[in-house]
Amino acid sequence: MNTKLTLTIEKDVIEQAKEYAAKQGQSLSSLVENYFKLLLLEKNKNPKKSERKPLPESFLKLEGCLKHEGEFDYKEELTKALEEKYGL
């Protein structure tokens, strides 16, 4: 049985989510429902993992802002940066 749910979400997030859902060939409601199902499934598989706090919205907005070509090994880049910084 389906039940109506009212959510308060930033307007630009809703617009982007509607576009994403349309590209996926599903409704925004089904997208949200499937996300909730995924969260509950993960929680039931690993209760301690799901107890983590969600990432702040300001951090999530950074997704996709860094561009790179090809393979990227962050450990190698971090090592180079630390060697340069500390003259190792």
Side-chain angles (χ1 to χ4, degrees):
M1 178 177 110
N2 290 338
T3 303
K4 187 174 182 175
L5 171 68
T6 302
L7 301 172
T8 303
I9 303 173
E10 291 179 22
K11 185 177 180 177
D12 61 324
V13 173
I14 294 171
E15 291 169 1
Q16 291 177 29
K18 284 181 180 180
E19 289 176 17
Y20 177 82
K23 288 178 183 175
Q24 300 301 313
Q26 56 183 324
S27 68
L28 187 55
S29 291
S30 67
L31 185 71
V32 171
E33 180 179 359
N34 289 334
Y35 180 68
F36 286 160
K37 286 178 181 178
L38 179 65
L39 288 176
L40 295 172
L41 181 65
E42 287 179 9
K43 180 182 179 186
N44 292 333
K45 282 184 178 179
N46 190 353
K48 287 189 177 186
K49 184 177 180 181
S50 63
E51 291 174 8
R52 284 191 262 162
K53 292 183 180 179
L55 295 172
E57 185 178 331
S58 58
F59 183 81
L60 296 174
K61 288 181 180 180
L62 296 173
E63 181 180 11
C65 70
L66 297 176
K67 306 292 181 198
H68 63 86
E69 293 183 20
E71 296 288 323
F72 180 78
D73 183 351
Y74 80 93
K75 288 182 182 179
E76 181 181 326
E77 295 300 320
L78 178 60
T79 302
K80 286 180 190 176
L82 292 173
E83 286 174 349
E84 184 178 309
K85 181 175 181 177
Y86 295 108
L88 299 174

